[in-house]
């Protein structure tokens, strides 16, 4: 198990390999497709983003309402493919990490290699547990989007798996190939 603290630099990204288990601590930001669409519009208009994405990590999540005794609701990962149209642009601006679930397309993988980005998988179905890793939560942009507003989170020991590393190695493909080889299907 490796530990990572944000900001998440290019050097940090290049040390990780697909399949690595990590515990992430520090500041991360949330954003799903509605927030990404708005950020893309800001970029097109030459306006600043709500936060500097350089060496940051975005968690694709729309948390449930926060219970009074908690700082964050249940926050399981969103299917990452919904952000694929926006991710290459975000990576080109220095975004270093993305957290979600599911496959990423070829354009995103190429941008990850070009800009040294990493795609982390969070455990689907473990939203309540993940919520307990959040120490503070502040809405910083697009409040009108409700659960899809951009939040600044401080997390401690957030468990993640490197799905796609900065070299383009994809755990989903590696795992499938190993299974096929082991079971003589390929």
């Amino acid at each position: 198990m490796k530990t990572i603290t944000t900001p998440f630099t290019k050097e940090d990204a290049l040390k990780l390999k697909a399949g690595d288990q990590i515990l992430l601590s520090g500041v991360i930001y949330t954003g799903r497709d509605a927030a990404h669409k708005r950020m893309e519009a800001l970029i097109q208009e030459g306006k600043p983003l709500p936060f500097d994405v350089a060496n940051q990590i975005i968690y694709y999540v729309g948390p449930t309402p926060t219970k009074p005794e908690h700082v964050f609701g249940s926050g399981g990962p969103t299917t990452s493919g919904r952000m694929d149209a926006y991710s290459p642009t975000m990576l080109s601006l220095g975004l270093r990490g993305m957290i979600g679930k599911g496959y990423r397309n070829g354009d995103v993988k190429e941008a990850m290699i070009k800009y040294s980005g990493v795609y982390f998988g969070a455990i689907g179905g473990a939203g309540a547990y993940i919520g307990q890793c959040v120490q503070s939560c502040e809405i910083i942009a697009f409040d009108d989007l409700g659960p899809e507003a951009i939040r600044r989170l401080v997390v401690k020991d957030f468990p993640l798996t490197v799905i796609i590393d900065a070299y383009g190695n994809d755990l989903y493909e590696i795992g499938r190939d190993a299974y096929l080889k082991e079971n003589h299907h390929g």
Side-chain angles (χ1 to χ4, degrees):
M1 188 77 69
K2 297 182 178 188
T3 56
I4 293 185
T5 304
T6 61
F8 183 49
T9 65
K10 179 178 181 176
E11 292 72 29
D12 295 329
L14 293 172
K15 290 177 188 170
L16 297 176
K17 301 281 182 262
D20 285 352
Q21 301 286 314
I22 70 153
L23 292 174
L24 175 67
S25 296
V27 173
I28 64 172
Y29 295 88
T30 69
R32 286 187 0 185
D33 34 329
H36 277 75
K37 185 174 184 178
R38 286 198 189 169
M39 288 192 288
E40 181 85 13
L42 290 172
I43 293 164
Q44 298 303 325
E45 296 166 16
K47 295 180 179 171
L49 293 175
F51 66 98
D52 181 358
V53 300
N55 295 320
Q56 299 300 329
I57 297 173
I58 290 184
Y59 180 25
Y60 304 143
V61 63
T64 62
T66 304
K67 293 177 182 161
E69 66 276 10
H70 295 97
V71 294
F72 191 72
S74 178
T78 296
T79 301
S80 302
R82 293 165 50 183
M83 275 55 71
D84 281 1
Y86 312 106
S87 295
T89 299
M90 298 296 283
L91 288 160
S92 76
L93 296 174
L95 180 70
R96 193 71 56 209
M98 302 161 286
I99 303 169
K101 68 178 179 183
Y103 296 96
R104 305 308 302 267
N105 72 23
D107 291 343
V108 174
K109 287 184 191 179
E110 286 177 27
M112 289 173 60
I113 295 165
K114 183 174 182 179
Y115 302 111
S116 302
V118 175
Y119 173 51
F120 299 101
I123 306 164
Y129 175 75
I130 291 169
Q132 293 173 9
C133 298
V134 178
Q135 296 185 312
S136 72
C137 172
E138 171 191 9
I139 294 175
I140 61 165
F142 313 145
D143 192 18
D144 61 300
L145 294 177
E148 291 206 40
I150 295 180
R151 289 168 169 78
R152 179 186 184 274
L153 306 181
V154 175
V155 298
K156 180 162 177 52
D157 296 336
F158 183 177
L160 300 169
T161 300
V162 176
I163 303 296
I164 305 172
D165 62 29
Y167 305 98
N169 300 305
D170 185 330
L171 185 61
Y172 293 137
E173 293 172 2
I174 294 165
R176 182 190 62 227
D177 293 347
Y179 172 83
L180 293 174
K181 186 176 181 183
E182 194 174 288
N183 291 281
H184 309 292
H185 292 232

